[in-house]
Amino acid sequence: MKITDYSTLVEAIAGELMRNDLADTIPIWIGMAESQINRELRALDMVKKCRTLAESREITLPTDWLEGRRIQTEDGHRLLVASLDELSDMRHRHDERGLAADPGYAPVYSLPPEGTTGCNRPRYYAVEGTWLELFPNPTPEAPITLEMTYYARLPAISDQEGETSNWLLRKDPSVYFYGALLHSAPYLLDDSRLTMWARLYQGGVDTLNAQAQVAEISGSPVNRRRNDNFWG
């Protein structure tokens, strides 16, 4: 049968298992499959962009954030990723503008040219839970607009109106189908088809990930000599 939405997915899973007593259990397996897919899949369809105004060292991430791809200021300066420990060390060594707090330390970056704004322009970021920490710090007096490109969480599907399908179920329902069947294994205790389900699920995920990698490589600009002048 053709899988087109949540109800046909549930029906197909029950048919594969040849069971008609799993109405309350199959939705749990689908939810588990979605969690696994969010951990393992990084497809082009998951990429989203948003803009946010940063007025302090911390900003809240989009609710569907999975993983960052690129964060930059609106004029194109890309922020570098760091760990929270690295940001903490920078704050000990520098003031909030990124200038050395001690003559023995170099600044986070060279001072901006005269007449430009931006001592508080963020250069680094770290992700912690549902928020993003920046350094140097933007301020309410000198806010910075950030453009964030990230991988978004797969929209969960259900039998509720408006939630019965998503881009993955339309594009490759086999990932959902075999992913949910994989999570039936502990319930069914032993099924000789488990290895086949695992192979078919992983094959679907690997194919989508490979397509994303090929598209990213083919769409990359010609390599140019790196310009380390953050203000240039």
Side-chain angles (χ1 to χ4, degrees), residues 81-118:
V81 65
S83 68
L84 287 173
D85 287 342
E86 289 171 329
L87 287 195
S88 177
D89 184 60
M90 292 179 197
R91 295 188 194 284
H92 284 299
R93 296 170 178 264
H94 305 85
D95 64 20
E96 295 301 297
R97 299 174 300 162
L99 305 180
D102 185 290
Y105 299 131
V108 170
Y109 44 69
S110 58
L111 286 172
E114 184 176 356
T116 65
T117 60

Side-chain angles (χ1 to χ4, degrees), residues 36-100:
Q36 183 173 358
I37 292 166
N38 281 324
R39 292 191 300 270
E40 299 177 354
L41 184 64
R42 293 296 180 267
L44 289 176
D45 301 82
M46 302 173 79
V47 177
K48 292 179 68 174
K49 292 184 178 182
C50 70
R51 292 163 62 94
T52 186
L53 186 67
E55 299 180 295
S56 64
R57 64 190 282 179
E58 296 177 4
I59 59 174
T60 302
L61 291 170
T63 56
D64 59 354
W65 175 284
L66 271 182
E67 181 183 328
R69 277 173 56 98
R70 180 186 180 95
I71 299 178
Q72 64 182 39
T73 58
E74 62 180 342
D75 54 356
H77 293 294
R78 186 169 186 170
L79 276 64
L80 306 176
V81 65
S83 68
L84 287 173
D85 287 342
E86 289 171 329
L87 287 195
S88 177
D89 184 60
M90 292 179 197
R91 295 188 194 284
H92 284 299
R93 296 170 178 264
H94 305 85
D95 64 20
E96 295 301 297
R97 299 174 300 162
L99 305 180

Side-chain angles (χ1 to χ4, degrees), residues 150-163:
Y150 66 98
Y151 289 105
R153 190 178 309 279
L154 185 69
I157 60 173
S158 73
D159 58 0
Q160 301 298 310
E161 185 177 357
E163 300 176 355

